[in-house]
Amino acid sequence: MKKITYLFLAFIVLSVSSCKKILDKEPLDFYADLTYYYDTPEQLDASLRGVYDMLQSSALYGGLMNYRLGLEADEGYYARESPVSGPHANDFTSGHSDVNSFWRDLYTGIGRANAFIANVDTNEEIDEEYRNRLRGEALFLRGYYYFMLVKTYGGVPLILEPLKDVDNIDIPKSTDKEVYEQILLDMIAAEGLVDGIQDIGHGGRVNKSAVRGILARVCLHMAGYPIRDVSKYQEAKNWASKVINDPIAGHALNPSFSQIFINYAQDKYDPKESIWEVEFMGNGQDAYTETGQVGYLAGPSSTSTVIGECFGGVKATSKLYSIYKPGDLRRDWTIASFVYSGANHDFSTSYTTSTTQTYLNNRHAGKFRREYETLLPKHRTRTPQNFPLLRYSDVLLMFAEADYETVHLGNEGSNGVPSDSARNLLMEVKLRSFNMGGIKVSGGFGINAGGSGYLSPPKITLPNATGTEAEITATVTNGAITALQLVRDPVTGFKMGSGYDLPNYSYVTITPTNGGTGGRVNARFYFPEDAALTAAELSDFRKTIQDERMREFAFETIRKGDLIRWGIFEFEMRQVANTLSTANLAGRYYYNYYANVRAKHRLWPIPARELNLNNALVQNPGW
Amino acid sequence: MKKISITPYTRAGKYKFLKTGFLVFSFLMFCKVSVSSMPMGPKEEQQQTIEIRGKIVDEQGNPLEGVNIQVKGGTTRTATDAQGNYRLRGIPANSVVVYTLVGSTPQEYKVTESGVRNITLSLEEKKLDDVVVIGYGTVKKEDLTGSVGQVNMDDLMEAPVGSFDEALAGRVAGVQVSSSDGQPGVGMDIVIRGANSLTQSNSPLYVIDGFPIEDPDNAAINPEEIESINILKDASATAIYGARGANGVIMIQTKKGKVRKPIMSFSSSLGFQKIPKTIKMMTPWEFVNLEMEINKARATEIYTPADLDPENEFYDPEGRTLEDYRHIKGIDWQDLLFRESLNQNHSLAIRGGTKTTRYSLSGSIFDQQGIIVNTGAKRYQGRLNIDHEFSKRFRTAVNINYSENLRNGGLVNAGGGANFTAYALYRTWAYRPVTGNPNINIVEDGFDDEFDNPSDLRLNPIVTAQNDYTHRNSYNFMTNVSLEYDINKKLQWKSTFSINNSKSENQTFYNSNTPHGSPRNRTLARNVHGLFSQGEGTTWSNENFVTYKNTFNKAHKVELMGGFSMQEIHTETFGFGTMYIPDETLLMQGLELGVPFSSSGSGGEGGLMSAFGRVNYDYKSKYLFTGTFRADGSSKFVKENQFAYFPSFAFAWNMKRENFLQSVSAISESKVRVSYGATGNNRVGYYEPFTVATNTLSNTYGFGNDLPIGGIVISKIGNQALKWETTYQFNLGYDLSLFNKKVDFTFDYYKKNTRDLLLNAEMPSATGFTRVFKNIGSLSNEGFEFTLKTTNIRNKQFSWISSFNIGFNSNKVVGLTRNQHTMFSPMTVGQNTADLYASRIGYPAGMFFGYIFDGIYQVEDFDVSSTGAYTLKSNLPSNGSDRDKIQPGHIRYRDLNGDGVIDDRDMSIIGRGQPIHAGGLANNFSYKGFYLHVFLQWSYGNDIFNANRVIFDGNYIKLFNLNQYASFNDRWTPENRSNTLYKVGGEGPAGYFSDRTLEDGSFLRLKTVSLSYTLPSSLVKRAYMSRLSLRMAVQNLWTFTKYSGLDPEVSTRHSVLTPGFDYSPYPQARTVTFGINAAF
């Protein structure tokens, strides 16, 4: 018995000594020591990718921003009747899930950036230049996420360090101005650290031009409402000028407006035009989760897997349609003039021809089109299309605006003459999309003489061959030409051709050839004077820039922010409501989106969930 | 270890009702006679030795080997041989001879002269209610100070189920057992005395043969092998398990061998399962009429081309007219989906033993096919229990159990596939009962070609079920060795060593005919794909304790127990999946052909070190005091918070022992119990204090279309301050037993306060995290439990015993995260997600939240314009839609804040998810060889959100070609101005949850009826059997409820925060089984 007692005692001693081992468990599937994750250049790279990753979040550019957040303002609307409430209808409360997820995902991105910035120097053995470059990107992204927050919610809690104490969560809002100041600090620091766009070779990663260009945008927002610090116009101009005058970056406009977006669909990069874009790739048939929904959520609606299915979640307003001048090629790319039906789509029959208000307010946004995707097979709901965050044309227009406002110091009452450079830059953007030398669709195009003896519709050719691609079909009745039609085109609206260098007076008479005789067709062409700024446009250059921005950036999630900083958000939204009302469209579901707008809608409410949990927060006015 | 208490010789005569069976009865009579004939003193005569011999048999007449025969107070002894014969010589005349056999009541006889003494020893178990198994010991029921619910295993075994937990509901007061639905192989949710935790597990701790285990696979145990189940409820009983005791403890003891010749017992049952109820759907004629209301033009083209204008391009004079549908019998999809399935259960056991070694070897096969094709559960299981005595003082016991649980079938209540139409029962109800074109065979085609709605992936319910390939297998190996050493008569040492290893393996293959793998699935879009994963968890534990028992001055009985234990657990899981598999015929083996899309690997380790002790003090069995204490240290918390201490105290006053009650013969027992103590809960992950960084492809970002290798993010914030959650429980109990225990009554009142809740607390997302584990918030549970057991009739021929129990629990949220007032839980029905549950301070957890249904807008509610247009009167509230869209027949909600608009400010608490009380009533009748068991179970006061009705009793988004419940025939039409069902398209804004579809979920269910007949032993002996009985049992025979869904026992997305939600449930089956039990 004694033996057993001893054995028992020995056992106890042994057991107690193993106590430490039993109670001291290191995690098996991760490292408890966070410094492990910042120890090599590859890990720093992976960690930085985590900061970028939030751009793809489904509440941000990976989904909601493409259609349901109401960011297109007066350009268009969410093309569904249900759900009834939400930001897309300007009918929502602070409890709305879109309001919450937008906030949550931006702060998740900020949290990831904070963790990266706090740990990037963990291993000082890693090349300092490399660390600084990555630090710069993280600083910029943090600034960008705060920029999105401050535009949307106004002043928000400013958190710049990783969370240390899970109980220290009553964090008051900073003012919007303080948030903007921090954004400037982060972005300016980043500007000195990140690589140039030509070193990177594409706009998929934060680069010097992107930082400068976004800084210009941030400064314009600070110069505008509600901060209204007009001294920031000069800074905006400086930043934009740095992009424009950077010979190494060599930015230039892509000569074709539509090609910019076709490039996104085809995963092609154009660093000269597309300075910064959200990266998406793949068709879901790989181990990655890098697909997005650009082109699926908003685009010409389609149920064909060959063209690529499209939910068609955004439709344009007649206001957007009408702001384009004749000859502006952006209109029929930005607003689809057709509908897809079936897999082998016949564009010749599926055009929306009516231009009544009902139809003009019923066309799909067409800027991002799945038809052009080259990666096959196409995923049914996910796409590889990148999304533009900053294009060169934006920098040019920002310069023009900042330059103009610098002269006039933002004084709304005073409209003066824009400087030459402001004017030229605006014209550069405008002319890129102006169909110089194309046949004018209306205004002189028609039958001059029907002729006789035509057995079949004649081919109609222009007198000389300097231009390209115009196509005209004729209808022949009893041997005579009785009707004419410029062939429809899904990109330009009509095959009106371009570059025809024909006399700049009266009508050009085009002779049909095909057996018959005497048929003549009249046409006029777009000439530089058609594109020139009118006296009215020159005398209200501020409005001219505003309109030009609408034409250029429709459905690129820029409009609502612009309207607010210009202080005309409610006014412009009301304009749409009035138009709809006048056209007897007030009964349509989308009318509410415009009619509901009040001053409080300049900002979203602080999410209810956040208010409940953070006792130091105060709700935005009116909510 | 089960304790056998020795019946003192002098008390033998008092037993009258204890034993059943005529033999024992007569034997006791004899005993009484022999006792009364003992007046002469043993020493009166001069000693003369005598000799006795004989044969000892059990009640069935089987010879008993190894029976010890000994002269009382002397040394002369012998034992029976294999034939049960013995011979004891040289004993003094008039001495008392004791016959002892482990497992039976010892018997004593006075012998006066030599001769033959044939004895029958009763092998009947000591009645379970005499001894109660508690943590680290046993206690006589009479001496119990805590609240312990005992499961009547005889009753439980009457239920034809594969796992004990399936029959546990309603058996013990305060123990709520519920299933999410009726899918075979899906475990039960057991909550004892209400939920303590909001976001964490409320499952009790299981102690199987002394081995504590947190989440066992209950299906791994063959119910036939269970000797006893005791449920520890109050703090006095559970605090000995300290940190794991707060949710209650279920003590399971398995059957052991007995000292006897091996007895082989065999039981086998074969049964059928069937759905007791289906939902009445619309007939073809009703359905087509409905489609006409939804979309007249389309419905006419598809269904009634003969009724069209002959000019119409769809006009078909050969086609059907609307009248034709009156005579067409629709396709009954429910009938096609549900089948009558087979259920079989066979088990074989050999039990026996010699004096030193007892063994029990058993095995079983259980096979339950589901009532839906391709679903079911199987178990192959074996167990070996050995008890061995190395010496009189040193014993060992070994228990080994191995089981394979094979479950197949995708979860019917889990849609998956990111599409609400991927739910099996949705498909079944939704599929149309008739086609417009009689040549389309929608019964056999996987897809209905006349129907094409890309957002509604509606595949043939039968074809998809047939193509389901889901296997969830688990392999469980549990071994447990104990050593016991009696250091002396008063001091006993015991150590146990246990290893439990469980492996799981999941295989899922989605071919092109399943919703997940169909090329028509737009959201998942993985085409043919499969997933494989396996996991393994190993737990070892060692417990050592000593027990000291002594009685001082015959009045002060003291029992001290103290010990320590260690436990470690190691888990790991691995898995991968591939998609776009080109050849689907290879099934899982074809996974290598696909594109990998997911891979996972994870592991965890935990350790627990504890010391514990108990003091029992008993003064003349009148005043009983129990104090327990446990210190637990867990690796789940950081060093400073690792240890926690859980004390409890209990006091019982056994009034029957007082003079004033001793003379009251009607009262057999009267005892008051009071206890208070603290218990804990550590149900959080292994590494919650740690901040976790992960490196995965899902968090990465590709630059310039490069192929990123990973993305590192901080995925979870840790909380170093995390510590134990503590539940303080007060219990007041009263036990009363009347008329020689013919009436047993137990009452308990309890109040539990849980503080420092281990809450997966919400964080402001500005911190970068949405949740973190914190010790925050508190909950309380308060309730009453009554148990009544009565022997109504008992005579030689007939007996009737009833047992009744009821438990009331009221749960209340006392505090949440900081100033949070309500925790909302959203639910998704169809395409819409909205808050449906609120856990609000001052209310029970998991209350239903939503709009109040306020009838239907009637014509009188509108102003009528000259053109006949209806405009809602301005003094009436809207329903959330635009006012100008609201028409007569549309749904109406109550405008709580009176602002004329229905929005989320008009949502309120609309119902309760938890029952007010639940319980059971069992009646057992026996007549000669017949035995009838009738068991009723109920739940009262809980509501169920019948989410199926959102879609099928109102068609919430006006989907075309979607069949509806027949109840929707009563919808509002100008002719039928219903105030309960809106017209087609009158559902108001989609995604509004209201009490329109919230129903009373109370039910009373005739859960088990079982009738058995035991053949007379004289008859079965000829077949070399010692016992043969035949049995027929029915489960879920009849349910009384107002609930309109398939079954009120449903909670398809069950959690404390989200109880009573019914969407696409697997129906509960009615089971009828026939079985035999035989012993050889």
Side-chain angles (χ1 to χ4, degrees), chain A residues 8 25 49 170 279 309, chain B residues 493 522 568 701 704 818:
Chain A
F8 184 62
K25 299 284 186 217
R49 286 173 193 261
D170 286 337
E279 294 269 12
E309 290 179 52
Chain B
W493 161 64
R522 305 197 316 161
E568 270 188 302
Y701 191 83
R818 291 155 49 94

Side-chain angles (χ1 to χ4, degrees), chain B residues 468-678:
Chain B
D468 180 77
Y469 184 94
T470 311
H471 289 273
R472 291 166 292 130
N473 301 337
S474 70
Y475 307 91
N476 205 290
F477 180 75
M478 195 189 243
T479 170
N480 182 358
V481 177
S482 72
L483 295 172
E484 260 183 271
Y485 183 73
D486 297 337
I487 296 163
N488 59 40
K489 277 193 173 164
K490 290 164 186 155
L491 192 61
Q492 187 196 54
W493 161 64
K494 184 172 179 181
S495 282
T496 64
F497 306 89
S498 322
I499 290 180
N500 181 15
N501 176 274
S502 58
K503 291 192 178 84
S504 64
E505 184 187 279
N506 296 326
Q507 296 189 8
T508 324
F509 191 85
Y510 298 112
N511 73 15
S512 58
N513 278 318
T514 60
H516 303 72
S518 168
R520 293 175 191 276
N521 189 326
R522 305 197 316 161
T523 36
L524 198 61
R526 291 191 182 130
N527 283 12
V528 175
H529 67 286
L531 290 144
F532 176 86
S533 70
Q534 62 175 33
E536 181 167 359
T538 306
T539 311
W540 72 261
S541 81
N542 164 237
E543 313 221 13
N544 313 285
F545 59 99
V546 290
T547 311
Y548 171 81
K549 288 181 191 170
N550 205 352
T551 308
F552 302 95
N553 297 336
K554 289 189 175 167
H556 308 278
K557 206 159 93 188
V558 173
E559 187 181 324
L560 303 172
M561 187 277 293
F564 69 97
S565 74
M566 291 167 289
Q567 180 165 330
E568 270 188 302
I569 183 163
H570 178 101
T571 63
E572 53 192 29
T573 57
F574 305 98
F576 73 98
T578 72
M579 59 184 175
Y580 293 96
I581 297 170
D583 184 350
E584 62 184 22
T585 57
L586 291 173
L587 292 173
M588 293 304 284
Q589 281 68 31
L591 249 59
E592 63 164 346
L593 305 173
V595 182
F597 70 92
S598 86
S599 55
S600 62
S602 66
E605 266 186 332
L608 189 72
M609 296 262 333
S610 320
F612 46 86
R614 175 168 54 217
V615 180
N616 276 326
Y617 168 74
D618 161 355
Y619 177 72
K620 290 185 171 170
S621 288
K622 255 189 221 172
Y623 309 111
L624 304 147
F625 171 81
T626 304
T628 68
F629 180 79
R630 183 163 177 131
D632 272 314
S634 167
S635 67
K636 289 178 178 176
F637 307 116
V638 299
K639 196 154 276 162
E640 298 72 48
N641 303 325
Q642 229 155 30
F643 277 91
Y645 308 98
F646 304 97
S648 83
F649 308 94
F651 171 75
W653 177 30
N654 200 341
M655 288 184 271
K656 175 65 185 170
R657 300 264 171 179
E658 299 284 356
N659 293 335
F660 61 85
L661 273 186
Q662 271 186 350
S663 53
V664 184
S665 62
I667 296 177
S668 339
E669 191 192 356
S670 172
K671 186 168 74 175
V672 177
R673 296 174 274 111
V674 187
S675 73
Y676 184 75

Side-chain angles (χ1 to χ4, degrees), chain A residues 321-441:
Chain A
Y321 183 89
S322 313
I323 203 160
Y324 292 102
K325 299 274 179 57
D328 194 332
L329 290 171
R330 291 173 294 195
R331 186 190 73 192
D332 288 317
W333 178 264
T334 306
I335 305 169
S337 56
F338 58 91
V339 290
Y340 291 112
S341 64
N344 298 314
H345 181 57
D346 176 9
F347 286 109
S348 65
T349 58
S350 63
Y351 285 90
T352 316
T353 48
S354 172
T355 51
T356 63
Q357 281 292 329
T358 307
Y359 284 95
L360 287 185
N361 282 295
N362 197 36
R363 296 183 177 207
H364 280 107
K367 209 165 204 174
F368 300 95
R369 302 187 184 179
R370 299 202 61 193
E371 187 191 348
Y372 294 93
E373 287 173 15
T374 46
L375 182 63
L376 301 176
K378 293 175 186 173
H379 192 283
R380 301 189 66 175
T381 60
R382 317 233 18 126
T383 75
Q385 299 200 30
N386 286 6
F387 190 79
L389 295 176
L390 181 69
R391 294 195 287 112
Y392 186 52
S393 54
D394 199 354
V395 178
L396 298 182
L397 290 178
M398 285 194 290
F399 182 93
E401 182 182 351
D403 177 79
Y404 177 79
E405 297 291 357
T406 320
V407 175
H408 301 285
L409 287 177
N411 183 349
E412 278 135 280
S414 149
N415 247 316
V417 182
S419 72
D420 281 353
S421 53
R423 222 169 116 168
N424 292 341
L425 292 177
L426 183 130
M427 284 310 293
E428 194 180 337
V429 173
K430 185 170 184 178
L431 287 172
R432 177 252 298 265
S433 302
F434 190 73
N435 193 22
M436 204 64 79
I439 295 174
K440 285 182 175 174
V441 179

Side-chain angles (χ1 to χ4, degrees), chain A residues 1 8 23 25 29 46 49 53 93 159 166 170 269 279 284-285 288 290 296 309 379-380 609-610 615, chain B residues 487 493 519-520 522 525 568 579-580 603 633 642 700-702 704 706 712 762-763 765-766 770 774 818 904:
Chain A
M1 179 193 132
F8 184 62
L23 292 184
K25 299 284 186 217
D29 49 6
R49 286 173 193 261
D53 177 49
T93 61
I159 298 168
V166 295
D170 286 337
Y269 292 94
E279 294 269 12
Q285 300 203 10
Y288 299 97
E290 296 295 297
Y296 168 75
E309 290 179 52
H379 192 283
R380 301 189 66 175
R609 181 184 182 277
E610 204 72 6
N615 295 330
Chain B
I487 296 163
W493 161 64
R520 293 175 191 276
R522 305 197 316 161
E568 270 188 302
M579 59 184 175
Y580 293 96
Q642 229 155 30
T700 196
Y701 191 83
D706 71 351
I712 294 176
E762 293 187 72
M763 289 282 276
S765 38
T770 53
K774 280 189 185 180
R818 291 155 49 94
D904 51 14

Side-chain angles (χ1 to χ4, degrees), chain A residues 101-115:
Chain A
S101 59
F102 192 76
W103 169 287
R104 181 195 63 214
D105 286 4
L106 287 170
Y107 268 113
T108 305
I110 289 165
R112 291 180 181 184
N114 285 339

